[in-house]
Amino acid sequence: MFWKEYGKHIRRLWLNEFGAVAFGIMLSFLSTSLSDKVGSAAAVVYFVSGLLGMFFYCYLIYLVIWEVGASDRIRADAGRVEPRPHLGIKIALFYSIPCLAVTGAYLVFSLIYKVGGVAGVGGVIDVTGMASMVIEAPYIGFALALFKNIGKALDDSNLLYYSVFWFASCLPAILTVWLGYLAGFHGKFMSKMYKKSK
């Protein structure tokens, strides 16, 4: 029932995520080439790159979820559904399953390697680490600002913190979907794009 009602919206969110991933990868290339020219200010360039990637990503998903909340409010006012202003958290968690699964696997295997001392999981760590970086590409700038390197170039002593970072990078999207739905349900913080389309 939930997927039948909200599956098309979640698919639209995933589609927008692909756009944000492409933008994040482009930003990472741009910020890396700029950082070579600015020297000691490289961390600032990376941080600005992370902010741009995060805001672009969150805005793309906000546009989709605000409409869903506004539409549900109309249906609730008409008596077709029960008012559910916090349904956005359920949509957010469902939407975030791929990100949470990939970054969660990376975190778990990093813990097994660093805390448990199991050396045989290196290949899995490499694959899940690369997948985490790709699926959460809008945040690469923050990773570069914090850790100076990413992927296999990362210092092994930072591995656990790095995996925690990628897992935590799922939170902005979850909060955006939840609060965006809530804003749409209450008719607040309407985007200019939505106003033009009306």
Side-chain angles (χ1 to χ4, degrees):
M1 180 68 179
F2 176 79
W3 181 255
K4 185 177 178 183
E5 196 171 357
Y6 294 100
K8 66 179 179 180
H9 304 298
I10 293 169
R11 285 192 295 270
R12 280 180 63 202
L13 289 169
W14 284 334
L15 191 62
N16 283 4
E17 183 179 358
F18 284 121
V21 163
F23 184 67
I25 291 170
M26 182 192 72
L27 275 176
S28 70
F29 286 125
L30 180 65
S31 62
T32 301
S33 62
L34 275 174
S35 70
D36 293 338
K37 297 174 183 167
V38 296
S40 60
V44 175
V45 171
Y46 291 139
F47 185 75
V48 169
S49 168
L51 279 178
L52 287 172
M54 182 181 72
F55 283 124
F56 180 72
Y57 176 33
C58 289
Y59 185 67
L60 283 180
I61 59 178
Y62 181 84
L63 290 176
V64 172
I65 202 64
W66 194 97
E67 288 182 32
V68 177
S71 174
D72 279 1
R73 177 59 183 260
I74 292 167
R75 294 187 322 152
D77 288 348
R80 289 182 290 170
V81 294
E82 288 291 317
R84 305 169 291 185
H86 292 288
L87 181 68
I89 191 66
K90 185 175 181 181
I91 296 171
L93 292 173
F94 202 93
Y95 159 71
S96 298
I97 287 173
C99 299
L100 290 170
V102 169
T103 59
Y106 184 45
L107 177 58
V108 167
F109 283 106
S110 296
L111 279 167
I112 291 170
Y113 173 71
K114 293 298 283 182
V115 178
V118 179
V121 295
V124 179
I125 288 173
D126 290 343
V127 170
T128 55
M130 181 61 71
S132 295
M133 189 171 58
V134 170
I135 204 167
E136 294 294 309
Y139 307 103
I140 289 177
F142 290 137
L144 285 165
L146 290 170
F147 302 104
K148 311 295 185 261
N149 284 310
I150 53 175
K152 292 188 100 171
L154 185 75
D155 184 348
D156 190 60
S157 63
N158 287 325
L159 178 64
L160 202 51
Y161 301 112
Y162 186 68
S163 62
V164 169
F165 167 80
W166 286 121
F167 186 73
S169 70
C170 299
L171 288 176
I174 292 171
L175 288 172
T176 300
V177 173
W178 176 29
L179 298 175
Y181 180 91
L182 190 62
F185 191 84
H186 291 296
K188 306 287 186 188
F189 309 111
M190 186 184 306
S191 79
K192 288 181 182 176
M193 279 188 162
Y194 186 78
K195 287 178 183 175
K196 285 178 186 174
S197 70
K198 295 304 272 179

